[in-house]
Amino acid sequence: MLSYIARRLAIAIPTLILVSIFVFVLQKLLPGDPALVLAGEERDPQMLEFIRQKYHLTEPILYQYFYWVEAMLHGDLGVSLRTNQPVLDLIADKLPVTIQLAIMAMIIAFLIGIPAGILSAAKKGTPVDYIANIVALSGLSIPNFWLGIMLIMLVSVNLGWLPASGYESPFVDPVRSFQTMIMPAFVLGTAQAATLMRHTRSAMLGVLKADYVRTARAKGLGERVVIIKHAFRNALLPIVTLSALLFGELLAGAVLTEQIFTIPGFGKLIVDAVFTRDYAVVQGIVLCTAAGFILMNLIADILYFLLNPRMRSAL
């Protein structure tokens, strides 16, 4: 197993290096002089020269990249122009909020998507199957921002059940934290549940046609035992891979939802950084997001290895 993980790491590390190159080069292609932004409104010539020397802006872009990577390897992602805080501190402050939102959204997605996919496959061609597919298509089609606004109007404004916006840490007030996060988690989770439902249904339909499933039924096993114990266990492999990708997508793609519900997470941070041209923050967030995607893919590969006995026997 260690050799398998080492091979996956051998692919992940060059991928992260390529992503860092893309992030750095694309940021350099943006119009404008970073020194002018850093110097502020006065833009004293001596200050401009000092900034260009300090951040190596007068040197070739290749040298600038190596200076950036060297600082990054020492835990220095730069300083935010907007707040004058280290980028690493900003990420450490905002990332747990988005991780909490992503975990809650994935739990909702699992609770809705996987049972619906199993039921749809087991009842193929029946009204239950058609209703499940319609619901899944609706979940994929309804924009997150529209669903979020409708939930705020209905649940918060009209019924007054939950707060419309804001955030509270679960370590300070767990109940309040759950109340503020459940609606945005539901908005994100329903969209992911639709994707999970479609893939679970497809995987289950393929497995239910297998010979060992027919053999299990011929032995007189109950339909529930056949579906859950025999079919679903073997359909888990593509679901695990998809779940890892969806979780990585939530870490990077909750921008609109966090803006609507005023959640101080990764999404709101990157929107503010883009609008204020806070280059160091944008670079740090994109790099951390890419690292998160690579990590989730690595975890998916490890789970794939653990769940698939044929891979273990082959190695």
Side-chain angles (χ1 to χ4, degrees):
M1 181 177 177
L2 291 177
S3 61
Y4 175 77
I5 295 175
R7 288 202 297 270
R8 304 311 299 174
L9 282 173
I11 299 173
I13 293 173
T15 304
L16 189 58
I17 293 172
L18 285 175
V19 169
S20 70
I21 293 172
F22 270 111
V23 170
F24 187 81
V25 172
L26 289 176
Q27 181 264 327
K28 290 296 180 182
L29 293 176
L30 291 174
D33 186 355
L36 295 177
V37 179
L38 289 169
E41 296 181 359
E42 296 182 0
R43 296 179 180 177
D44 181 70
Q46 292 182 348
M47 179 60 70
L48 287 173
E49 183 62 26
F50 172 76
I51 290 172
R52 290 192 176 101
Q53 292 296 330
K54 179 181 178 181
Y55 293 99
H56 312 286
L57 298 177
T58 57
E59 300 189 34
I61 189 172
L62 183 61
Y63 290 170
Q64 293 182 41
Y65 172 74
F66 284 129
Y67 285 127
W68 179 60
V69 171
E70 182 184 8
M72 183 176 61
L73 292 176
H74 287 87
D76 182 11
L77 294 177
V79 177
S80 170
L81 304 179
R82 186 168 56 91
T83 63
N84 203 32
Q85 291 180 268
V87 174
L88 197 61
D89 291 348
L90 285 174
I91 291 174
D93 183 46
K94 305 297 183 183
L95 183 58
V97 180
T98 300
I99 290 177
Q100 180 189 351
L101 178 60
I103 291 174
M104 291 180 66
M106 285 305 299
I107 291 173
I108 291 172
F110 287 143
L111 292 176
I112 298 175
I114 292 180
I118 295 173
L119 190 61
S120 178
K123 303 291 184 180
K124 181 185 176 183
T126 65
V128 173
D129 183 24
Y130 294 131
I131 292 171
N133 278 283
I134 291 171
V135 172
L137 184 60
S138 301
L140 291 171
S141 304
I142 296 175
N144 286 348
F145 67 87
W146 182 87
L147 181 58
I149 293 171
M150 292 300 105
L151 282 177
I152 290 174
M153 291 178 61
L154 176 63
V155 178
S156 300
V157 178
N158 293 337
L159 299 176
W161 290 349
L162 294 171
S165 61
Y167 173 74
E168 187 67 62
S169 171
F171 301 105
V172 176
D173 189 343
V175 176
R176 177 71 179 178
S177 178
F178 178 81
Q179 291 174 341
T180 56
M181 294 292 272
I182 188 61
M183 276 203 300
F186 180 80
V187 169
L188 293 171
T190 49
Q192 308 294 10
T195 305
L196 269 176
M197 179 269 167
R198 299 288 294 174
H199 281 77
T200 303
R201 180 182 184 274
S202 177
M204 286 291 295
L205 286 175
V207 171
L208 287 173
K209 297 177 183 177
D211 291 337
Y212 60 85
V213 173
R214 285 195 291 268
T215 302
R217 285 172 173 158
K219 289 181 178 179
L221 295 178
E223 189 67 12
R224 181 177 298 180
V225 175
V226 171
I227 291 174
I228 301 300
K229 186 176 180 180
H230 294 275
F232 179 62
R233 286 179 62 183
N234 289 281
L236 267 177
L237 297 179
I239 297 172
V240 166
T241 304
L242 176 67
S243 300
L245 294 176
L246 290 178
F247 188 80
E249 182 182 322
L250 284 173
L251 292 179
V255 177
L256 286 176
T257 305
E258 288 186 1
Q259 285 290 104
I260 291 170
F261 290 94
T262 322
I263 297 173
F266 241 29
K268 194 172 186 306
L269 180 63
I270 195 170
V271 168
D272 294 339
V274 169
F275 276 112
T276 57
R277 300 176 66 128
D278 202 341
Y279 298 129
V281 175
V282 174
Q283 284 180 328
I285 292 175
V286 174
L287 196 63
C288 287
T289 302
F293 260 107
I294 293 171
L295 177 63
M296 293 311 301
N297 274 292
L298 180 62
I299 292 173
D301 289 336
I302 295 172
L303 290 176
Y304 202 96
F305 176 86
L306 294 175
L307 292 171
N308 193 342
R310 286 176 294 184
M311 289 186 66
R312 295 199 300 272
S313 60
L315 292 175

